[in-house]
Amino acid sequence: MAVSSEVKEDYFLSTIGAVFENENENSESDINDDLSTVETVFEIQDCVEFPKKKIVLKHTLSSSVDMVGLQVWRGAFLLADFILHHQHIFKDKLVVELAGGTGFTAIVAGLVAKQVISTDVDRGNILSLLSSNLEKNLPGGNVECRELDFFWDAFPDSISSELRDSDVILAADVVYDKNITRHFFKTVQNILNFGGKTIFIAIERRLWTDNHGNLVAPNFDIFKEHLEELSNLQINESELLVEELKTDFPKYFEYNRVPELTLWKIVLAKL
Ligand SMILES: C[S@@+](CC[C@H](N)C(=O)[O-])C[C@H]1O[C@@H](n2cnc3c(N)ncnc32)[C@H](O)[C@@H]1O
């Protein structure tokens, strides 16, 4: 099954497919789709620090469910706007992004932060596209890509010290499949065990019409359940503060900031 990012509609005025409807239809053959990449220039607008800065991004306009990291999603824009409007949070910080996809958010973070590691699953050409987008926009710079799979039970040496030392963790649009969501939250908890992090998660509350004609948001509901469980945990004698942030900060990119886009902050606070 092919899925198309909502951004395809925002930018390219094409018809959007049924995104993430059939999460169980993935198969090995999906990984080898050969949809061609396009290059899009996204300009930062009305930002004093980065006037008319252009981000040149290679991405696909649709993909199989397994390869959605080749597309750019609205959550990536929301987080990018958040970073540009709250630069003090990211300045001089080590940032790790989970499920970075095309690298759009990491590139914006890299304009502000000291160092950014954008991670994703090692599947098909996801990491090579991510790496080439980072290198093209911030050549030889402070942003690099690494493998990080939510299904790992422990972090390998290749990423563990970066996670331990990181100040800020970013994740955009990682909730679209029950199983991945469960493992995403396990990963978040493992990262929080290192202590001293602030996590920002952008998630779109995608609505569906169920068989009875009701509007439902099953993946978002599952996300909220996991968030609730997380907020009840104590980690290293600290409690977790989970907060939904307002999304009324300025837009620095052209995209449709739909009301379903939500933003969450998780911090560890000493008891
Ligand atoms: C909808 S895309 C979002 C990509 C990007 N953050 C954005 O907003 O444009 C979901 C991302 O989750 C990644 N992903 C899927 N399974 C994963 C796993 N097991 N571990 C880590 N990342 C995974 C995909 O490769 C993809 O990059």
Side-chain angles (χ1 to χ4, degrees), residues 20 68-69 71-73 75-76 97 99-101 120-121 123 126 148-151 172-174 176 180:
F20 307 141
V68 288
Q71 301 180 61
V72 57
W73 297 82
E97 184 185 23
D120 209 308
V121 67
R123 185 183 298 149
I126 288 176
L148 191 161
D149 192 325
F150 300 149
F151 285 75
D173 218 328
V174 287
Y176 55 94
I180 296 177

Side-chain angles (χ1 to χ4, degrees), residues 81-91 112 249 252:
D81 280 345
F82 180 80
I83 294 165
L84 289 173
H85 195 61
H86 301 87
Q87 294 180 29
H88 60 282
I89 298 177
F90 300 89
K91 215 164 176 46
V112 181
F249 43 85
Y252 299 96

